[in-house]
């Protein structure tokens, strides 16, 4: 399985169980965080990551969640992380985002049964996805709750493209959906932690922060 990046400032105390799961043409890198021995199991969280992220960014978060009694299921989304570490980065769209999520939702539902509380969580882009799932997800009624941090529901004025750029992007995305652009996100908008800044800026799985036009247009529309 994937080896932890030497740049990562955090080493998990409760290492996850990793697995590659094939679905609809993609080989998803997944990780599962068990509740530590001696801790009462309260439920399970399905976590949805942000743009250009993958599991290692959240090691410390998942240690804390699992230590609190909640199992965590995580997958590097199509077009990101170890699922698509090379030339296929960003190759996704709105259909894949929610179809893949439904697949993993159903997989987790089968594993935990009907008695276990199931939650969905997300950060940034993933927060926006999780909130959308709460509105239109096929199995949204199965969730006991949804929680998000910094959800992408509106762009800050400093990050918002001009109306002309958005209009041109929509037109171009229809013709060249897989054309990639570097979003050039400001690292100071992502984290104030210097160790994580160094990790992100030097990690080839996260930079350059490229996305396909279709992926970005769908994200803005969402």
């Amino acid at each position: 399985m994937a080896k932890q990046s030497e740049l990562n400032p955090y080493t998990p105390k409760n290492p996850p169980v990793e697995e590659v799961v094939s679905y609809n043409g993609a080989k998803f890198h997944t990780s599962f965080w068990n509740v530590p021995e001696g801790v009462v199991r309260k439920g399970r969280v399905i976590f949805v990551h942000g743009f250009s992220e993958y599991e290692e960014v959240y090691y410390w978060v998942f240690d804390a969640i699992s230590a609190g009694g909640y199992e965590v299921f995580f997958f590097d989304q199509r077009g990101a992380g170890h699922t698509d570490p090379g030339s296929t980065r960003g190759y996704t769209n709105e259909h894949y985002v929610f179809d893949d999520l439904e697949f993993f939702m159903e997989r987790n539902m089968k594993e935990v049964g009907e008695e276990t509380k199931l939650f969905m969580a997300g950060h940034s882009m993933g927060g926006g996805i999780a909130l959308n799932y709460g509105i239109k997800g096929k199995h949204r009624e199965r969730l006991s709750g949804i929680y998000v941090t910094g959800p992408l529901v509106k762009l800050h004025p400093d990050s918002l493209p001009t109306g002309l750029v958005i209009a041109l992007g929509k037109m171009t995305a229809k013709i060249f959906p897989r054309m990639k652009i570097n979003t050039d996100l400001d690292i100071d908008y992502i984290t104030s932690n210097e160790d994580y800044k160094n990790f992100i800026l030097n990690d080839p799985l996260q930079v350059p922060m490229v996305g396909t036009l279709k992926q970005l247009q769908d994200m803005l529309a969402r």
Side-chain angles (χ1 to χ4, degrees):
M1 296 302 294
K3 182 180 178 182
Q4 180 177 346
S5 168
E6 294 180 357
L7 294 167
N8 196 328
Y10 186 89
T11 299
K13 301 170 185 174
N14 177 28
V17 176
E18 298 181 316
E19 181 183 4
V20 173
V21 177
S22 297
Y23 174 66
N24 198 11
K27 293 184 177 179
F28 292 93
H29 178 270
T30 73
S31 54
F32 179 73
W33 300 67
N34 281 296
V35 172
E37 186 176 350
V39 175
V40 177
R41 176 174 174 266
K42 300 175 184 176
R44 179 179 295 190
V45 175
I46 299 173
F47 197 98
V48 188
H49 68 74
F51 177 72
S52 199
E53 296 180 338
Y54 67 113
E55 68 161 334
E56 283 199 34
V57 177
Y58 298 97
Y59 275 175
W60 68 276
V61 178
F62 298 156
D63 256 355
I65 295 175
S66 59
Y70 294 91
E71 302 167 335
V72 180
F73 174 81
F74 183 93
F75 66 102
D76 291 358
Q77 294 183 60
R78 190 184 297 262
H82 292 292
T83 297
D84 281 297
S87 61
T88 54
R89 280 183 64 193
Y91 282 10
T92 187
N93 56 41
E94 194 77 349
H95 167 74
Y96 282 132
V97 166
F98 287 97
D99 186 63
D100 295 340
L101 185 55
E102 291 288 8
F103 169 75
F104 285 114
M105 180 71 180
E106 291 173 1
R107 191 170 184 264
N108 279 271
M109 286 168 58
K110 290 177 182 178
E111 289 180 359
V112 302
E114 296 182 359
E115 300 303 318
T116 300
K117 288 185 176 181
L118 192 59
F119 299 86
M120 186 173 290
H123 175 68
S124 192
M125 179 189 77
I129 292 171
L131 291 175
N132 271 262
Y133 191 88
I135 296 169
K136 63 182 182 180
K138 182 179 178 182
H139 301 289
R140 62 187 182 277
E141 299 298 332
R142 175 62 180 84
L143 294 171
S144 295
I146 295 174
Y147 73 91
V148 297
T149 54
L152 180 56
V153 294
K154 185 176 181 180
L155 285 175
H156 189 279
D158 291 345
S159 300
L160 183 66
T162 65
L164 178 61
V165 170
I166 292 175
L168 289 174
K170 286 181 179 179
M171 293 171 55
T172 309
K174 292 180 180 179
I175 305 171
F176 304 107
R178 292 194 170 189
M179 178 184 289
K180 294 183 180 181
I181 62 171
N182 187 346
T183 59
D184 227 7
L185 292 175
D186 189 331
I187 189 66
D188 289 324
Y189 294 170
I190 298 172
T191 180
S192 59
N193 184 296
E194 294 300 325
D195 289 335
Y196 272 94
K197 285 183 182 179
N198 179 63
F199 171 35
I200 293 169
L201 290 175
N202 293 283
D203 182 4
L205 286 180
Q206 298 182 78
V207 292
M209 295 182 184
V210 298
T212 59
L213 286 176
K214 180 60 176 171
Q215 177 191 24
L216 295 171
Q217 285 300 319
D218 284 353
M219 186 166 65
L220 287 174
R222 185 188 314 135

